[in-house]
């Protein structure tokens, strides 16, 4: 049965309708949704996490409960099934489905169903309208984010607090500080990491599209989420959707709070029900980053504002001040049966295509891993996931993205350099990992001899940007002020040996100026620091800078390259302004360990070039300020050698050294 449940949509199955065993079950779900394709054309998914969900229902084996509900989040563009989280929106369709399938007898008027959520071990009472002993979806209830009206479905969460981690505040604190940012880690219907929007340089009232375009914000959120997951006892959550990150801001009344809920790498178009329970709980309880006014014990009607409207949540408190706890939370959702029938699955769902179908009888033989040297959510990660989503179906095997950030890319590079040279482990390298950082210092890998080039992926120009209020209106004014007062401005970099670092040092060398330097672990915190005004100058890629420039949070001063940009035709180049040496174009490429067979490399190169010629991929790259560059393996090899030689010369001429021992000497 395909249902719209709350503000989500997906197929509902009785457990007996699916194959036995979790692995076969998951393959069926992947095929039903069409998960391998980002658009999910070969299934009933909608190309979004909100429409890539499944509910599995059975008679309950737990005392006092009527039915068991297992929620599954299915991948978008990759073959995965995650049954760790819960979904409150899909939950709203569970009771009507169970009644229609004969698992629960319907009363005349209303029918209450006690649901045991298998994912979290919590219980929920659901009340459905059943006039004449039949489920009705017609009614006058309206929920924001859904057109029209429908019958109200009351969800009453009984014991969802601490259901995943064992504690409402799994870190033992109501506020934790991660990388200088205060967060609240709460397990209330859904494990959440809640952050004040203002602490990350946004208002919290932005539309989802604006937040999704803010790559630096997404990268920052993911960095915080990974650490929050570890502190919450969830381990490495890089391949999990929990905890979910939430940005909160003050609502218009004492009983309302504004929320932007992420799923976790994309802002929800409205809001998850379980997320609303968690946000409302943090809002009602004292001592969290979301806490509102002090509240007495009893029931409180609270409002969680989201991009499509609001969710009204009734929260019942017990105790006062630090001893206050949430006893119950209830809200109203609606659902609609869209269709019921047979879902036909193709043979490849249970018998994945053999590697020979991709042109080789020996490769690939198993799941492939694409190592990314930056945190999830950033520019490199976004491009890598676009490539991985297309590469898997072409080669007939899953391609898993593995983010191994740290040491400015050295950790990921060393890992791939030591991997088995069979093509199953690849690296999404870039200018920093294969030219700049190796030119700056001795590393545990050689960018040429330890890797085999697969092919260039694309490139993105570098910009010189400034804070609009605390920087300078143009490059010449900036230079004049720096010469009058050296180090009166500071620049932010993504780490030693990264493009923003080198571009800033080249600019100082060429202009005869000196700026203070602030080094961060990645471009996201660096550009956030610049947007806040704590640093005033940065040299990010166009990919990273575009959302901040469009939002007016940063001003572009110049292009750090040889030509102007089509999207910013009025922006001069630093070469035009008299500084041709500041020329930094960030490129990205696919690498394999040295010794990988030529036949495997050629197969991978052909597949990569096919992906880069895909109009959808071209559009996605160019909309983010990057340009695909299909070509032969030699093109990437030549780019690495040429840039490695160039940046070694820059290091020698500028007398650069890693920060620990750096003493910049300007010629």
């Amino acid at each position: 049965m395909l249902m719209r449940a709350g503000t989500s949509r997906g197929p509902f199955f009785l457990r007996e309708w699916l194959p036995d065993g979790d692995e076969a079950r998951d393959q069926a779900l992947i095929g039903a949704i069409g998960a391998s394709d980002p658009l999910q054309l070969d299934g009933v998914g909608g190309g979004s996490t909100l429409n890539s969900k499944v509910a599995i229902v059975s008679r309950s084996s737990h005392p006092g409960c009527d039915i068991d509900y297992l929620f599954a989040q299915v991948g978008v563009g990759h073959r995965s099934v995650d049954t760790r989280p819960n979904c409150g929106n899909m939950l709203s369709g569970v009771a009507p489905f169970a009644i229609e399938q004969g698992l629960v007898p319907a009363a005349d008027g209303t029918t209450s169903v006690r649901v045991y959520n298998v994912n979290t071990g919590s219980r929920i009472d659901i009340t459905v309208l059943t006039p004449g002993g039949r489920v009705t979806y017609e009614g006058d209830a309206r929920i924001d984010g859904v057109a029209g009206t429908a019958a109200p479905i009351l969800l009453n969460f009984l014991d969802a607090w601490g259901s995943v981690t064992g504690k409402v505040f799994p870190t033992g604190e109501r506020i934790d500080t991660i990388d200088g940012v205060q967060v609240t880690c709460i397990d209330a219907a859904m494990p959440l990491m809640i952050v004040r929007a203002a602490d990350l340089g946004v208002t919290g009232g932005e539309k989802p599209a604006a937040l999704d375009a803010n790559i630096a914000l997404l990268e920052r959120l993911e960095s915080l989420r990974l650490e929050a997951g570890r502190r919450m006892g969830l381990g490495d959550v890089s391949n999990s959707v929990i905890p979910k990150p939430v940005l909160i801001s003050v609502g218009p009344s004492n009983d309302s709070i504004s929320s932007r809920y992420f799923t976790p790498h994309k802002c929800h178009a409205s809001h998850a029900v379980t997320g609303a329970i968690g946000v409302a709980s943090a809002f009602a309880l004292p001592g969290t980053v979301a806490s509102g006014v002090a509240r007495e014990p009893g029931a409180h009607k609270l409002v969680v504002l989201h991009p499509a409207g609001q969710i009204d949540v009734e929260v019942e408190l017990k105790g006062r001040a630090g001893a206050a706890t949430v006893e119950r939370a209830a809200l109203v959702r609606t659902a609609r049966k869209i269709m019921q029938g047979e879902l036909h699955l193709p043979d490849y769902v249970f018998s994945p295509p053999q590697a020979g179908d991709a042109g080789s009888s020996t490769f690939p033989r198993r799941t492939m891993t694409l190592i990314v040297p930056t945190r999830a959510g950033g520019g490199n990660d976004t491009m890598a996931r676009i490539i991985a989503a297309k590469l898997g179906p072409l080669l007939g095997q899953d391609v898993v993205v593995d983010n191994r950030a740290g040491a400015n890319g050295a950790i990921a590079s060393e890992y791939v350099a030591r991997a088995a040279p069979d093509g199953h482990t690849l690296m999404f390298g870039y200018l920093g990992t294969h030219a700049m950082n190796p030119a700056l210092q001795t590393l545990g890998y050689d960018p040429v001899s330890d890797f085999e080039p697969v092919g260039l992926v694309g490139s993105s120009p570098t910009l010189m940007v400034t804070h609009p209020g605390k920087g300078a209106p143009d490059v010449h004014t900036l230079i004049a002020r720096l010469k009058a007062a050296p180090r009166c401005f500071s620049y932010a970099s993504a780490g030693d040996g990264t493009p923003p670092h080198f571009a800033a040092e080249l600019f100082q060398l060429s202009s005869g100026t000196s700026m203070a330097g602030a080094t961060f672990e990645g471009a996201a915190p660096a550009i956030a620091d610049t947007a806040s005004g704590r640093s005033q100058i940065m040299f990010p890629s166009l990919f990273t800078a575009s959302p901040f420039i469009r939002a007016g949070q940063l001003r572009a001063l110049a292009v750090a390259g040889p030509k102007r940009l089509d999207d910013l035709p009025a922006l001069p180049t630093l070469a035009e302004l008299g500084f041709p040496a500041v020329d930094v174009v960030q490129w990205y490429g696919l690498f394999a360990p040295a010794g990988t067979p030529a036949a495997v490399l050629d197969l991978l190169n052909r597949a990569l070039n096919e992906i880069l010629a895909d109009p959808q991929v071209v559009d996605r790259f160019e909309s983010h300020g990057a340009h695909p560059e299909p070509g032969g393996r030699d093109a990437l090899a030549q780019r690495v050698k040429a840039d490695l030689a160039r940046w070694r010369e820059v290091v020698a001429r500028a007398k650069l050294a890693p920060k620990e021992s750096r003493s910049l000497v300007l010629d």
Side-chain angles (χ1 to χ4, degrees):
M1 184 184 291
L2 186 65
M3 298 185 72
R4 190 271 300 163
T7 53
S8 295
R9 190 198 72 204
F12 282 64
F13 296 100
L14 290 180
R15 182 63 186 90
E16 64 197 58
W17 294 348
L18 294 167
D20 293 332
D22 290 352
E23 183 175 351
R25 176 204 68 193
D26 289 352
Q27 293 304 315
L29 300 184
I30 288 168
I33 290 292
S36 300
D37 174 15
L39 296 179
Q40 300 181 332
L41 293 175
D42 208 28
V44 298
S48 163
T49 54
L50 303 183
N51 301 324
S52 191
K53 299 180 174 184
V54 174
I56 302 171
V57 179
S58 58
R59 284 188 171 85
S60 184
S61 58
H62 296 84
C65 295
D66 299 307
I67 60 174
D68 289 345
Y69 157 55
L70 177 67
F71 167 72
Q73 180 71 64
V74 185
V76 179
H78 54 92
R79 298 168 60 88
S80 67
V81 176
D82 192 351
T83 57
R84 284 173 291 183
N86 180 23
C87 177
N89 275 304
M90 291 291 281
L91 174 64
S92 60
V94 167
F97 172 77
I99 295 170
E100 286 208 34
Q101 299 305 318
L103 271 63
V104 178
D108 184 6
T110 63
T111 301
S112 292
V113 179
R114 177 158 291 185
V115 177
Y116 179 85
N117 179 229
V118 178
N119 309 75
T120 62
S122 59
R123 298 168 303 149
I124 308 97
D125 282 344
I126 304 178
T127 303
V128 182
L129 295 185
T130 51
R134 296 177 63 88
V135 172
T136 181
Y137 298 98
E138 305 299 323
D140 298 326
R142 184 186 301 274
I143 63 172
D144 290 328
V146 176
T149 61
I153 298 173
L154 179 65
L155 307 182
N156 191 357
F157 290 79
L158 303 176
D159 51 8
W161 292 268
S163 58
V164 175
T165 64
K167 294 191 294 185
V168 177
F169 297 103
T171 70
E173 304 289 341
R174 298 198 175 195
I175 294 180
D176 291 274
T177 300
I178 301 176
D179 198 16
V181 177
Q182 288 189 328
V183 307
T184 288
C185 299
I186 187 170
D187 179 3
M190 172 70 71
L192 303 178
M193 179 200 71
I194 303 176
V195 189
R196 299 184 190 97
D199 289 348
L200 295 184
V202 293
T203 66
E206 292 86 354
K207 297 293 186 183
L211 294 173
D212 290 344
N214 191 336
I215 301 302
L217 172 69
L218 296 180
E219 190 173 68
R220 181 73 161 144
L221 268 180
E222 180 64 8
S223 173
L224 296 173
R225 188 183 81 89
L226 292 175
E227 176 60 20
R230 186 188 67 78
R231 296 190 186 188
M232 295 171 77
L234 298 171
D236 179 5
V237 297
S238 56
N239 292 316
S240 173
V241 298
I242 58 171
K244 299 290 181 69
V246 180
L247 296 178
I248 55 96
S249 55
V250 177
S253 73
N254 287 339
D255 292 326
S256 65
I257 184 170
S258 182
S259 175
R260 294 296 182 266
Y261 181 89
F262 290 76
T263 64
H265 302 135
K266 183 179 177 65
C267 185
H268 201 299
S270 54
H271 207 288
V273 167
T274 48
I277 296 292
V279 171
S281 297
F283 182 44
L285 293 170
T288 76
V289 298
S291 295
V293 298
R295 302 183 192 279
E296 292 296 310
H300 298 271
K301 295 184 182 296
L302 306 177
V303 176
V304 176
L305 302 170
H306 58 75
Q310 67 184 53
I311 297 178
D312 299 315
V313 183
E314 184 176 275
V315 173
E316 184 173 334
L317 293 179
K318 180 180 180 181
R320 289 182 170 83
T325 58
V326 177
E327 292 293 294
R328 180 185 63 85
L331 47 77
V332 171
R333 295 276 89 186
T334 65
R336 184 175 81 84
K337 180 168 68 172
I338 298 173
M339 62 173 291
Q340 182 172 352
E342 293 183 354
L343 184 66
H344 296 267
L345 300 182
D347 290 341
Y348 72 77
V349 168
F350 301 103
S351 300
Q354 297 301 308
D357 298 339
S360 168
S361 61
T362 59
F363 173 81
R365 299 182 299 277
R366 59 180 185 276
T367 297
M368 299 169 61
T369 302
L370 179 56
I371 304 296
V372 178
T374 56
R375 295 187 184 279
N380 291 30
D381 177 70
T382 299
M383 290 187 210
R385 290 180 186 276
I386 292 172
I387 298 299
K390 295 287 186 178
L391 188 61
L394 279 177
L395 298 180
Q397 288 286 354
D398 292 347
V399 179
V400 177
V401 174
D402 184 354
N403 299 85
R404 291 180 178 257
N408 304 321
I411 291 175
S413 301
E414 291 180 23
Y415 178 84
V416 176
R418 289 161 174 73
D422 56 11
H424 290 89
T425 302
L426 304 175
M427 179 176 182
F428 194 86
Y430 75 115
L431 176 64
T433 56
H434 280 71
M436 288 181 164
N437 203 19
L440 180 67
Q441 55 193 321
T442 300
L443 299 168
Y445 67 95
D446 186 289
V448 176
S449 63
D450 284 341
F451 297 90
E452 300 285 359
V454 172
L456 275 167
V457 171
S459 61
S460 182
T462 296
L463 300 184
M464 182 182 189
V465 301
T466 187
H467 185 275
K470 298 181 180 180
D474 55 65
V475 173
H476 289 307
T477 301
L478 174 71
I479 292 172
R481 292 181 182 175
L482 282 170
K483 288 190 173 181
R487 300 174 68 82
C488 64
F489 291 115
S490 66
Y491 75 87
S493 87
D496 289 351
T498 62
H501 165 227
F502 267 90
E505 296 291 8
L506 276 177
F507 175 75
Q508 294 175 93
L509 179 66
S510 300
S511 61
T513 58
S514 177
M515 293 186 289
T519 301
F520 297 86
E521 291 187 1
I527 202 165
D529 196 71
T530 311
S532 72
R534 287 187 290 269
S535 295
Q536 296 79 47
I537 306 295
M538 189 182 171
F539 289 81
S541 68
L542 174 60
F543 190 103
T544 300
S546 289
F548 292 88
I549 294 172
R550 290 196 297 266
Q553 294 175 284
L554 292 174
R555 176 190 294 130
L557 295 181
V559 182
K563 62 180 183 179
R564 295 195 179 200
L565 306 178
D566 293 340
D567 292 341
L568 298 169
L571 189 66
T573 68
L574 284 172
E576 293 174 44
L577 299 176
F579 310 105
V582 191
D583 180 1
V584 181
V585 175
Q586 302 193 35
W587 54 259
Y588 314 89
L590 210 59
F591 296 87
T596 300
V600 171
L601 296 170
D602 289 340
L603 186 151
L604 289 169
N605 177 258
R606 290 194 299 271
L608 176 62
N609 286 333
E610 183 176 340
I611 292 167
L612 296 176
D614 185 325
Q616 183 190 38
V617 173
V618 173
D619 180 68
R620 292 184 69 183
F621 270 47
E622 292 184 345
S623 68
H624 287 82
H627 305 286
E629 294 190 33
R633 294 171 48 215
D634 288 346
L636 178 57
Q638 292 168 9
R639 183 75 63 92
V640 170
K641 291 177 181 177
D643 273 356
L644 185 60
R646 180 196 175 199
W647 293 110
R648 280 174 173 164
E649 182 181 350
V650 169
V651 168
R653 186 163 58 93
K655 298 182 176 62
L656 295 177
K659 172 165 280 191
E660 288 77 12
S661 57
R662 178 171 21 170
S663 178
L664 177 65
V665 178
L666 298 174
D667 294 336

